[in-house]
Amino acid sequence: MRCSLSPPSSLITLGLLATTVLAAPPGRTTEADEALITDPDAECTGYSFQPVQDALSSFPSLSAIADIVPTDTEAIDKFNSFKDKIPNIPPKGTPEGDFTGLSYPADDPDCWWTNTQCVTPKFQGIPPDVFQVPEPLTVGYGFDDGPNCSHNTFYDYLDSENQKATMFFVGSNVMYYPLEAQRALVDGHEVCVHTWSHHYMTGLTNEQAFAELYYTIKLVMGVTPTCWRPPFGDVDDRVRTIAAGLGLQTILWQYDSFDWEVQAGGATPEKVDANYDDFINKAKNGAFDTAGGIILTHEIDNYTMSEAIKYLPKLKEGFKYIVPVGVALNKTQPYVESNYSLPTFEQCNSQAFAENHQSSSQATTPNGASSRLILGKNSVSGTLMLGLAGVLAILHL
Ligand SMILES: *[C@@H]1O[C@H](CO)[C@@H](O)[C@H](O)[C@H]1NC(C)=O
Ligand SMILES: *[C@@H]1O[C@H](CO)[C@@H](O)[C@H](O)[C@H]1NC(C)=O
Ligand SMILES: *[C@@H]1O[C@H](CO)[C@@H](O)[C@H](O)[C@H]1NC(C)=O
Ligand SMILES: *[C@@H]1O[C@H](CO)[C@@H](O)[C@H](O)[C@H]1NC(C)=O
């Protein structure tokens, strides 16, 4: 069942919204309408969503490297509030990830993941990165780079499996496809930040790195995420400090499907299958008996999403639990807004176990009930309203 949004009548802003979204073509004005479209071409036809249109001037240019909007005193104040704590580490290489000619000490003084896969900061006071999950036989299940315009088949599948995931959204993509972004919230997925324009973060200035995170946090339709994943895993202690200053936990991975490389011509589908299979076989051979794993996978295109659909049942053969990263971490409050919550890992899986033991027709892994506990749809729709109100608040309406 899809969520039908029934707004509390007190939210007058919604009425306002209803009159301002007329610019969108029929069927593309609400999350629920958008979620019903299954033809990829129709899904990927651009549309105009008035709250986003109106907010554009308060945000950096879409898909370009973000910088602090000069008139945005709130952002400037926020940056100033912790800029003195940022370690004095110069940007590395280019924002496109060209590190040619960079001379960097072999002992990795900046804990630069791209260089040594370092996940334990050397600079004091920054929490370590998450690259695995503490719960055994568990996948911290997530997808990068969304929302992709054509994701409804994939999200329908996850919904049918009652499977929740962590979605690492690119800010500009959210602006292009805001209703698709809302769907992630309505479906009960955990939303984390994957920067505004998907560049190498260590190649940016402090202000740019701040803006890449700040404006992506702001726009996910009213919720304020508390987690992020660096594109390409490119993070060092300078960038970690900026993320931590914005309340973001850094989430990496230890295994890579390289699914994204098929579109780019860098990997074959056979290689991606082998990467997924390897991850699953490691699980079967005990590699995750003391701590669970995170494998990098994407919501980029039809191929990566089809692959995710193909591999969910196989992942269940190797792992007992497949849950959003936040659930695997027992992080019960995924957003700053306190009226969203995630169940603890234990809550998820005691329910899930019960269901699994009752139903022999189910696949071996009990994810179903777990998911239902996450972000109950009623509260989500309520907060989604709040989210839209939040957008309107940005517009000073
Ligand atoms: C999560 O919380 C449960 C109690 O609800 C506890 O048993 C479990 O060890 C916790 N796991 C982690 C990784 O903190
Ligand atoms: C989203 O996926 C569709 C279907 O594969 C693809 O045509 C489109 O280019 C993707 N969008 C982006 C921004 O990569
Ligand atoms: C991939 O594209 C095919 C052909 O349009 C479509 O039937 C299928 O549902 C798509 N898969 C996903 C996951 O979007
Ligand atoms: C969430 O909290 C806000 C106040 O912070 C409130 O206005 C809103 O109704 C709450 N939403 C839900 C679904 O509880």
Side-chain angles (χ1 to χ4, degrees):
M1 277 291 289
R2 293 217 41 81
C3 172
S4 60
L5 304 179
S6 46
S9 53
S10 60
L11 285 171
I12 328 149
T13 40
L14 260 201
L16 223 165
L17 188 73
T19 58
T20 53
V21 290
L22 294 176
R28 304 299 289 279
T29 56
T30 66
E31 180 280 331
D33 283 342
E34 181 285 323
L36 292 173
I37 306 174
T38 50
D39 171 48
D41 291 334
E43 284 180 78
C44 290
T45 303
Y47 59 93
S48 163
F49 188 61
Q50 198 60 42
V52 167
Q53 290 302 317
D54 294 346
L56 282 176
S57 62
S58 319
F59 283 87
S61 301
L62 299 188
S63 304
I65 294 170
D67 215 333
I68 300 174
V69 175
T71 52
D72 189 344
T73 51
E74 205 178 298
I76 293 165
D77 289 350
K78 183 73 187 170
F79 180 71
N80 287 340
S81 74
F82 65 82
K83 73 164 191 239
D84 293 342
K85 297 192 181 126
I86 303 171
N88 191 15
I89 296 171
K92 297 176 168 70
T94 70
E96 287 71 40
D98 182 353
F99 301 110
T100 314
L102 178 73
S103 116
Y104 183 69
D107 63 349
D108 190 22
D110 308 338
C111 185
W112 184 22
W113 191 87
T114 307
N115 189 46
T116 61
Q117 309 217 321
C118 177
V119 290
T120 309
K122 294 178 178 168
F123 189 73
Q124 298 235 314
I126 325 168
D129 304 338
V130 173
F131 65 97
Q132 60 180 19
V133 293
E135 296 291 347
L137 286 170
T138 299
V139 181
Y141 192 58
F143 296 89
D144 284 17
D145 295 359
N148 172 279
C149 49
S150 75
H151 75 185
N152 280 340
T153 297
F154 178 44
Y155 280 38
D156 286 348
Y157 172 76
L158 293 176
D159 212 23
S160 72
E161 293 290 304
N162 240 314
Q163 178 64 53
K164 310 304 177 196
T166 303
M167 303 303 181
F168 297 92
F169 278 166
V170 173
S172 295
N173 289 352
V174 174
M175 289 298 243
Y176 289 123
Y177 293 103
L179 299 173
E180 287 76 356
Q182 285 180 14
R183 177 165 184 183
L185 284 183
V186 170
D187 283 7
H189 301 301
E190 179 188 27
V191 175
C192 297
V193 162
H194 196 44
T195 77
W196 179 259
S197 68
H198 204 275
H199 281 87
Y200 283 76
M201 289 288 275
T202 69
L204 304 181
T205 66
N206 289 347
E207 287 81 355
Q208 289 170 331
F210 169 90
E212 283 279 331
L213 298 173
Y214 181 84
Y215 291 104
T216 307
I217 293 172
K218 274 199 90 128
L219 95 177
V220 187
M221 291 306 169
V223 294
T224 308
T226 56
C227 41
W228 82 295
R229 176 173 277 170
F232 316 101
D234 187 48
V235 66
D236 65 6
D237 282 350
R238 180 176 68 95
V239 173
R240 283 186 186 93
T241 307
I242 295 168
L246 284 165
L248 298 175
Q249 185 173 31
T250 301
I251 314 285
L252 288 165
W253 60 87
Q254 209 175 7
Y255 298 89
D256 192 341
S257 70
F258 286 97
D259 58 351
W260 59 276
E261 256 196 355
V262 169
Q263 181 191 49
T268 60
E270 292 73 23
K271 181 64 191 152
V272 177
D273 282 358
N275 293 334
Y276 264 105
D277 290 338
D278 180 56
F279 184 60
I280 293 161
N281 287 332
K282 281 195 164 68
K284 289 179 179 170
N285 294 329
F288 301 105
D289 285 358
T290 51
I294 300 179
I295 182 167
L296 179 65
T297 51
H298 291 80
E299 187 192 323
I300 298 183
D301 57 23
N302 180 287
Y303 167 73
T304 63
M305 292 186 278
S306 301
E307 191 74 354
I309 291 173
K310 179 167 117 185
Y311 269 96
L312 181 58
K314 295 175 195 270
L315 285 171
K316 291 177 179 182
E317 290 169 12
F319 293 87
K320 270 170 92 169
Y321 311 109
I322 301 176
V323 296
V325 176
V327 169
L329 299 173
N330 265 350
K331 182 174 169 182
T332 50
Q333 205 182 314
Y335 308 115
V336 169
E337 292 72 24
S338 58
N339 49 11
Y340 270 88
S341 63
L342 291 170
T344 65
F345 184 80
E346 197 181 49
Q347 284 169 335
C348 256
N349 293 309
S350 57
Q351 277 252 350
F353 264 131
E355 181 169 274
N356 190 44
H357 290 295
Q358 279 159 16
S359 160
S360 53
S361 64
Q362 282 284 320
T364 49
T365 304
N367 297 293
S370 63
S371 320
R372 230 165 277 133
L373 284 167
I374 303 173
L375 302 181
K377 287 204 169 182
N378 289 338
S379 72
V380 170
S381 63
T383 313
L384 195 61
M385 293 309 140
L386 180 68
L388 294 169
V391 169
L392 294 171
I394 293 170
L395 310 176
H396 309 293
L397 287 176

